[in-house]
Amino acid sequence: MEKLILVSHGEFCEGIKASVEMILGPQDNIFTVSLLEEDSPQDLEEKFKEYIDKDDTIVTFVDILGGTPANVITKLIMQGESFELYAGMNLPMLISYLNGQIISKNIDYVSQGQEGIVKVNDIINQSKPEKEDE
């Protein structure tokens, strides 16, 4: 079974999962692990390990590179755990991952997440007709 585990500071991972389920419906293979204020890095590691099964393929999205969630998961990989880890989790990235699962195709989640970041003002300004000099 392939599992996607979302890990973040606070409840961000739970919110982004709820958002994607609003768009695409229930997602039984997505799990969330929140680092709460009262949690230590060890607590986060223990919560994360509850979702790990040696027979599963694990893909993990974390909120930010260099933060405690990313560092805890990175440490596990360095200790021999085998799963993919992506930092910079965002909604376009998550939707791309799920679309890839639906159509059984490898999608570049990183590119999709980056392409989802745009300055809308620039798009609006490009579509405005130029004013003629009076």
Side-chain angles (χ1 to χ4, degrees):
M1 171 179 186
E2 183 163 324
K3 292 180 184 174
L4 177 63
I5 304 175
L6 310 177
V7 187
S8 70
H9 293 87
E11 297 174 355
F12 172 65
C13 58
E14 295 169 18
I16 200 167
K17 180 183 180 198
S19 294
V20 82
E21 288 182 329
M22 179 186 291
I23 297 166
L24 298 175
Q27 302 296 318
D28 296 333
N29 292 343
I30 297 179
F31 304 89
T32 61
V33 179
S34 298
L35 175 65
L36 304 175
E37 283 189 56
E38 64 270 13
D39 291 337
S40 69
Q42 186 66 31
D43 294 332
L44 182 71
E45 181 178 329
E46 289 171 13
K47 286 195 257 185
F48 181 81
K49 284 182 173 180
E50 290 176 17
Y51 295 108
I52 303 298
D53 185 301
K54 64 179 177 153
D55 296 327
D56 291 338
T57 300
I58 306 293
V59 176
T60 306
F61 291 175
V62 297
D63 52 2
I64 56 174
L65 182 63
T68 300
N71 293 343
V72 167
I73 308 308
T74 299
K75 182 183 91 173
L76 292 173
I77 294 170
M78 293 173 69
Q79 292 173 344
E81 294 287 346
S82 179
F83 42 82
E84 295 179 32
L85 173 62
Y86 297 88
M89 169 174 53
N90 62 41
L91 196 54
M93 181 180 175
L94 187 50
I95 290 171
S96 295
Y97 169 86
L98 294 169
N99 283 336
Q101 295 295 303
I102 291 167
I103 63 172
S104 299
K105 185 176 178 187
N106 289 330
I107 303 288
D108 184 354
Y109 328 124
V110 174
S111 292
Q112 293 296 312
Q114 291 170 336
E115 290 173 16
I117 301 170
V118 297
K119 184 176 179 187
V120 177
N121 300 68
D122 292 343
I123 296 170
I124 293 169
N125 290 332
Q126 287 177 354
S127 65
K128 285 184 180 177
E130 291 188 28
K131 294 182 180 179
E132 292 181 25
D133 291 336
E134 293 180 38

